[in-house]
PDB file of all heavy atoms in Angstrom:
ATOM      1  N   PHE A 577      63.589 116.627 151.266  1.00 82.00           N
ATOM      2  CA  PHE A 577      64.209 115.550 152.049  1.00 82.00           C
ATOM      3  C   PHE A 577      65.729 115.681 151.994  1.00 82.00           C
ATOM      4  O   PHE A 577      66.440 114.741 151.673  1.00 82.00           O
ATOM      5  CB  PHE A 577      63.765 114.189 151.512  1.00 82.00           C
ATOM      6  CG  PHE A 577      62.266 114.060 151.369  1.00 82.00           C
ATOM      7  CD1 PHE A 577      61.662 114.235 150.138  1.00 82.00           C
ATOM      8  CD2 PHE A 577      61.483 113.787 152.476  1.00 82.00           C
ATOM      9  CE1 PHE A 577      60.289 114.124 150.005  1.00 82.00           C
ATOM     10  CE2 PHE A 577      60.116 113.677 152.355  1.00 82.00           C
ATOM     11  CZ  PHE A 577      59.508 113.850 151.121  1.00 82.00           C
ATOM     12  N   VAL A 578      66.199 116.882 152.324  1.00 83.00           N
ATOM     13  CA  VAL A 578      67.618 117.193 152.206  1.00 83.00           C
ATOM     14  C   VAL A 578      68.388 116.841 153.474  1.00 83.00           C
ATOM     15  O   VAL A 578      69.540 116.416 153.433  1.00 83.00           O
ATOM     16  CB  VAL A 578      67.815 118.687 151.873  1.00 83.00           C
ATOM     17  CG1 VAL A 578      69.298 119.030 151.824  1.00 83.00           C
ATOM     18  CG2 VAL A 578      67.161 119.013 150.549  1.00 83.00           C
ATOM     19  N   GLY A 579      67.741 116.983 154.624  1.00 85.00           N
ATOM     20  CA  GLY A 579      68.452 116.850 155.893  1.00 85.00           C
ATOM     21  C   GLY A 579      69.068 118.187 156.270  1.00 85.00           C
ATOM     22  O   GLY A 579      68.564 119.255 155.887  1.00 85.00           O
ATOM     23  N   TYR A 580      70.173 118.162 156.996  1.00 85.00           N
ATOM     24  CA  TYR A 580      70.898 119.390 157.339  1.00 85.00           C
ATOM     25  C   TYR A 580      72.388 119.081 157.295  1.00 85.00           C
ATOM     26  O   TYR A 580      72.789 117.904 157.203  1.00 85.00           O
ATOM     27  CB  TYR A 580      70.449 119.927 158.702  1.00 85.00           C
ATOM     28  CG  TYR A 580      70.751 119.029 159.875  1.00 85.00           C
ATOM     29  CD1 TYR A 580      71.863 119.273 160.700  1.00 85.00           C
ATOM     30  CD2 TYR A 580      69.945 117.941 160.181  1.00 85.00           C
ATOM     31  CE1 TYR A 580      72.146 118.456 161.774  1.00 85.00           C
ATOM     32  CE2 TYR A 580      70.215 117.132 161.254  1.00 85.00           C
ATOM     33  CZ  TYR A 580      71.327 117.387 162.050  1.00 85.00           C
ATOM     34  OH  TYR A 580      71.605 116.574 163.121  1.00 85.00           O
ATOM     35  N   PRO A 581      73.257 120.104 157.303  1.00 87.00           N
ATOM     36  CA  PRO A 581      74.684 119.876 157.031  1.00 87.00           C
ATOM     37  C   PRO A 581      75.347 118.781 157.852  1.00 87.00           C
ATOM     38  O   PRO A 581      76.256 118.108 157.353  1.00 87.00           O
ATOM     39  CB  PRO A 581      75.306 121.247 157.327  1.00 87.00           C
ATOM     40  CG  PRO A 581      74.211 122.212 157.011  1.00 87.00           C
ATOM     41  CD  PRO A 581      72.945 121.543 157.419  1.00 87.00           C
ATOM     42  N   ALA A 582      74.917 118.576 159.085  1.00 85.00           N
ATOM     43  CA  ALA A 582      75.540 117.531 159.895  1.00 85.00           C
ATOM     44  C   ALA A 582      74.987 116.151 159.583  1.00 85.00           C
ATOM     45  O   ALA A 582      75.573 115.142 160.003  1.00 85.00           O
ATOM     46  CB  ALA A 582      75.345 117.841 161.383  1.00 85.00           C
ATOM     47  N   ASP A 583      73.890 116.087 158.892  1.00 86.00           N
ATOM     48  CA  ASP A 583      73.258 114.795 158.598  1.00 86.00           C
ATOM     49  C   ASP A 583      72.466 114.897 157.290  1.00 86.00           C
ATOM     50  O   ASP A 583      71.244 114.867 157.280  1.00 86.00           O
ATOM     51  CB  ASP A 583      72.342 114.385 159.755  1.00 86.00           C
ATOM     52  CG  ASP A 583      71.794 112.977 159.583  1.00 86.00           C
ATOM     53  OD1 ASP A 583      72.398 112.191 158.823  1.00 86.00           O
ATOM     54  OD2 ASP A 583      70.750 112.666 160.195  1.00 86.00           O
ATOM     55  N   TYR A 584      73.199 115.012 156.159  1.00 85.00           N
ATOM     56  CA  TYR A 584      72.534 115.110 154.854  1.00 85.00           C
ATOM     57  C   TYR A 584      71.907 113.766 154.464  1.00 85.00           C
ATOM     58  O   TYR A 584      72.380 112.694 154.875  1.00 85.00           O
ATOM     59  CB  TYR A 584      73.525 115.533 153.776  1.00 85.00           C
ATOM     60  CG  TYR A 584      73.842 117.010 153.773  1.00 85.00           C
ATOM     61  CD1 TYR A 584      75.151 117.468 153.878  1.00 85.00           C
ATOM     62  CD2 TYR A 584      72.833 117.952 153.640  1.00 85.00           C
ATOM     63  CE1 TYR A 584      75.454 118.830 153.864  1.00 85.00           C
ATOM     64  CE2 TYR A 584      73.113 119.308 153.622  1.00 85.00           C
ATOM     65  CZ  TYR A 584      74.416 119.726 153.740  1.00 85.00           C
ATOM     66  OH  TYR A 584      74.698 121.081 153.733  1.00 85.00           O
ATOM     67  N   SER A 585      70.848 113.847 153.645  1.00 85.00           N
ATOM     68  CA  SER A 585      70.217 112.651 153.086  1.00 85.00           C
ATOM     69  C   SER A 585      70.841 112.365 151.729  1.00 85.00           C
ATOM     70  O   SER A 585      71.158 113.285 150.970  1.00 85.00           O
ATOM     71  CB  SER A 585      68.707 112.867 152.936  1.00 85.00           C
ATOM     72  OG  SER A 585      68.115 113.122 154.191  1.00 85.00           O
ATOM     73  N   TYR A 586      70.993 111.074 151.422  1.00 83.00           N
ATOM     74  CA  TYR A 586      71.649 110.668 150.187  1.00 83.00           C
ATOM     75  C   TYR A 586      70.762 109.691 149.414  1.00 83.00           C
ATOM     76  O   TYR A 586      70.104 108.828 150.013  1.00 83.00           O
ATOM     77  CB  TYR A 586      73.004 109.999 150.485  1.00 83.00           C
ATOM     78  CG  TYR A 586      74.048 110.965 150.983  1.00 83.00           C
ATOM     79  CD1 TYR A 586      74.104 111.312 152.332  1.00 83.00           C
ATOM     80  CD2 TYR A 586      74.972 111.544 150.114  1.00 83.00           C
ATOM     81  CE1 TYR A 586      75.044 112.207 152.796  1.00 83.00           C
ATOM     82  CE2 TYR A 586      75.929 112.433 150.575  1.00 83.00           C
ATOM     83  CZ  TYR A 586      75.960 112.761 151.911  1.00 83.00           C
ATOM     84  OH  TYR A 586      76.901 113.655 152.373  1.00 83.00           O
ATOM     85  N   LEU A 587      70.744 109.857 148.074  1.00 80.00           N
ATOM     86  CA  LEU A 587      70.022 108.947 147.202  1.00 80.00           C
ATOM     87  C   LEU A 587      70.892 107.717 146.967  1.00 80.00           C
ATOM     88  O   LEU A 587      72.032 107.836 146.497  1.00 80.00           O
ATOM     89  CB  LEU A 587      69.715 109.645 145.868  1.00 80.00           C
ATOM     90  CG  LEU A 587      68.943 108.824 144.833  1.00 80.00           C
ATOM     91  CD1 LEU A 587      67.542 108.510 145.341  1.00 80.00           C
ATOM     92  CD2 LEU A 587      68.870 109.579 143.499  1.00 80.00           C
ATOM     93  N   PHE A 588      70.367 106.559 147.341  1.00 78.00           N
ATOM     94  CA  PHE A 588      71.089 105.289 147.252  1.00 78.00           C
ATOM     95  C   PHE A 588      72.383 105.318 148.069  1.00 78.00           C
ATOM     96  O   PHE A 588      73.335 104.594 147.765  1.00 78.00           O
ATOM     97  CB  PHE A 588      71.424 104.935 145.800  1.00 78.00           C
ATOM     98  CG  PHE A 588      70.214 104.868 144.909  1.00 78.00           C
ATOM     99  CD1 PHE A 588      70.185 105.540 143.700  1.00 78.00           C
ATOM    100  CD2 PHE A 588      69.092 104.145 145.290  1.00 78.00           C
ATOM    101  CE1 PHE A 588      69.070 105.483 142.872  1.00 78.00           C
ATOM    102  CE2 PHE A 588      67.983 104.089 144.468  1.00 78.00           C
ATOM    103  CZ  PHE A 588      67.960 104.753 143.261  1.00 78.00           C
ATOM    104  N   GLY A 589      72.406 106.205 149.080  1.00 75.00           N
ATOM    105  CA  GLY A 589      73.574 106.291 149.937  1.00 75.00           C
ATOM    106  C   GLY A 589      74.803 106.863 149.269  1.00 75.00           C
ATOM    107  O   GLY A 589      75.907 106.811 149.835  1.00 75.00           O
ATOM    108  N   LYS A 590      74.640 107.459 148.077  1.00 78.00           N
ATOM    109  CA  LYS A 590      75.807 107.925 147.325  1.00 78.00           C
ATOM    110  C   LYS A 590      75.693 109.380 146.909  1.00 78.00           C
ATOM    111  O   LYS A 590      76.664 110.133 147.025  1.00 78.00           O
ATOM    112  CB  LYS A 590      75.989 107.032 146.096  1.00 78.00           C
ATOM    113  CG  LYS A 590      77.246 107.345 145.283  1.00 78.00           C
ATOM    114  CD  LYS A 590      77.434 106.340 144.157  1.00 78.00           C
ATOM    115  CE  LYS A 590      78.712 106.622 143.371  1.00 78.00           C
ATOM    116  NZ  LYS A 590      78.905 105.661 142.256  1.00 78.00           N
ATOM    117  N   TRP A 591      74.524 109.772 146.354  1.00 76.00           N
ATOM    118  CA  TRP A 591      74.367 111.131 145.831  1.00 76.00           C
ATOM    119  C   TRP A 591      73.524 111.961 146.795  1.00 76.00           C
ATOM    120  O   TRP A 591      72.414 111.568 147.172  1.00 76.00           O
ATOM    121  CB  TRP A 591      73.695 111.104 144.465  1.00 76.00           C
ATOM    122  CG  TRP A 591      74.560 110.498 143.393  1.00 76.00           C
ATOM    123  CD1 TRP A 591      75.616 111.066 142.780  1.00 76.00           C
ATOM    124  CD2 TRP A 591      74.423 109.184 142.836  1.00 76.00           C
ATOM    125  NE1 TRP A 591      76.164 110.211 141.861  1.00 76.00           N
ATOM    126  CE2 TRP A 591      75.446 109.040 141.868  1.00 76.00           C
ATOM    127  CE3 TRP A 591      73.541 108.125 143.054  1.00 76.00           C
ATOM    128  CZ2 TRP A 591      75.607 107.873 141.134  1.00 76.00           C
ATOM    129  CZ3 TRP A 591      73.702 106.973 142.323  1.00 76.00           C
ATOM    130  CH2 TRP A 591      74.727 106.851 141.373  1.00 76.00           C
ATOM    131  N   ARG A 592      74.049 113.101 147.170  1.00 81.00           N
ATOM    132  CA  ARG A 592      73.358 113.968 148.099  1.00 81.00           C
ATOM    133  C   ARG A 592      72.144 114.609 147.441  1.00 81.00           C
ATOM    134  O   ARG A 592      72.227 115.091 146.306  1.00 81.00           O
ATOM    135  CB  ARG A 592      74.316 115.064 148.594  1.00 81.00           C
ATOM    136  CG  ARG A 592      73.765 115.899 149.725  1.00 81.00           C
ATOM    137  CD  ARG A 592      74.832 116.833 150.237  1.00 81.00           C
ATOM    138  NE  ARG A 592      74.398 118.217 150.217  1.00 81.00           N
ATOM    139  CZ  ARG A 592      75.188 119.244 150.442  1.00 81.00           C
ATOM    140  NH1 ARG A 592      76.470 119.053 150.667  1.00 81.00           N
ATOM    141  NH2 ARG A 592      74.710 120.471 150.420  1.00 81.00           N
ATOM    142  N   ASN A 593      71.018 114.607 148.149  1.00 80.00           N
ATOM    143  CA  ASN A 593      69.781 115.144 147.592  1.00 80.00           C
ATOM    144  C   ASN A 593      69.911 116.634 147.295  1.00 80.00           C
ATOM    145  O   ASN A 593      70.634 117.366 147.986  1.00 80.00           O
ATOM    146  CB  ASN A 593      68.617 114.913 148.557  1.00 80.00           C
ATOM    147  CG  ASN A 593      68.200 113.451 148.613  1.00 80.00           C
ATOM    148  OD1 ASN A 593      68.570 112.661 147.745  1.00 80.00           O
ATOM    149  ND2 ASN A 593      67.461 113.082 149.634  1.00 80.00           N
ATOM    150  N   GLU A 594      69.157 117.061 146.273  1.00 78.00           N
ATOM    151  CA  GLU A 594      69.207 118.456 145.833  1.00 78.00           C
ATOM    152  C   GLU A 594      68.528 119.381 146.843  1.00 78.00           C
ATOM    153  O   GLU A 594      67.571 119.011 147.514  1.00 78.00           O
ATOM    154  CB  GLU A 594      68.486 118.611 144.494  1.00 78.00           C
ATOM    155  CG  GLU A 594      69.269 118.119 143.304  1.00 78.00           C
ATOM    156  CD  GLU A 594      68.534 118.449 142.023  1.00 78.00           C
ATOM    157  OE1 GLU A 594      67.540 117.770 141.718  1.00 78.00           O
ATOM    158  OE2 GLU A 594      68.949 119.401 141.336  1.00 78.00           O
ATOM    159  N   GLU A 595      69.050 120.613 146.883  1.00 78.00           N
ATOM    160  CA  GLU A 595      68.426 121.665 147.681  1.00 78.00           C
ATOM    161  C   GLU A 595      67.773 122.682 146.755  1.00 78.00           C
ATOM    162  O   GLU A 595      68.169 122.848 145.603  1.00 78.00           O
ATOM    163  CB  GLU A 595      69.476 122.364 148.545  1.00 78.00           C
ATOM    164  CG  GLU A 595      70.120 121.482 149.595  1.00 78.00           C
ATOM    165  CD  GLU A 595      71.094 122.253 150.463  1.00 78.00           C
ATOM    166  OE1 GLU A 595      70.735 123.372 150.882  1.00 78.00           O
ATOM    167  OE2 GLU A 595      72.202 121.756 150.696  1.00 78.00           O
ATOM    168  N   CYS A 596      66.778 123.365 147.292  1.00 76.00           N
ATOM    169  CA  CYS A 596      66.145 124.448 146.538  1.00 76.00           C
ATOM    170  C   CYS A 596      66.965 125.720 146.665  1.00 76.00           C
ATOM    171  O   CYS A 596      67.777 125.877 147.586  1.00 76.00           O
ATOM    172  CB  CYS A 596      64.731 124.705 147.065  1.00 76.00           C
ATOM    173  SG  CYS A 596      63.548 123.428 146.633  1.00 76.00           S
ATOM    174  N   ASP A 597      66.735 126.621 145.745  1.00 69.00           N
ATOM    175  CA  ASP A 597      67.315 127.948 145.839  1.00 69.00           C
ATOM    176  C   ASP A 597      66.793 128.634 147.099  1.00 69.00           C
ATOM    177  O   ASP A 597      65.673 128.351 147.549  1.00 69.00           O
ATOM    178  CB  ASP A 597      66.921 128.753 144.594  1.00 69.00           C
ATOM    179  CG  ASP A 597      67.646 130.074 144.505  1.00 69.00           C
ATOM    180  OD1 ASP A 597      67.111 131.050 145.062  1.00 69.00           O
ATOM    181  OD2 ASP A 597      68.719 130.130 143.887  1.00 69.00           O
ATOM    182  N   PRO A 598      67.563 129.541 147.721  1.00 64.00           N
ATOM    183  CA  PRO A 598      67.051 130.252 148.895  1.00 64.00           C
ATOM    184  C   PRO A 598      65.722 130.954 148.654  1.00 64.00           C
ATOM    185  O   PRO A 598      64.960 131.183 149.584  1.00 64.00           O
ATOM    186  CB  PRO A 598      68.167 131.265 149.195  1.00 64.00           C
ATOM    187  CG  PRO A 598      69.402 130.617 148.681  1.00 64.00           C
ATOM    188  CD  PRO A 598      68.979 129.849 147.471  1.00 64.00           C
ATOM    189  N   ALA A 599      65.408 131.300 147.391  1.00 61.00           N
ATOM    190  CA  ALA A 599      64.128 131.937 147.079  1.00 61.00           C
ATOM    191  C   ALA A 599      63.028 130.911 146.820  1.00 61.00           C
ATOM    192  O   ALA A 599      61.901 131.276 146.530  1.00 61.00           O
ATOM    193  CB  ALA A 599      64.279 132.843 145.868  1.00 61.00           C
TER     194      ALA A 599
END
Side-chain angles (χ1 to χ4, degrees):
F577 309 99
V578 177
Y580 64 100
D583 187 21
Y584 282 124
S585 299
Y586 290 84
L587 180 65
F588 303 130
K590 185 175 182 181
W591 292 284
R592 189 174 125 189
N593 288 345
E594 283 186 285
E595 295 183 45
C596 288
D597 189 271

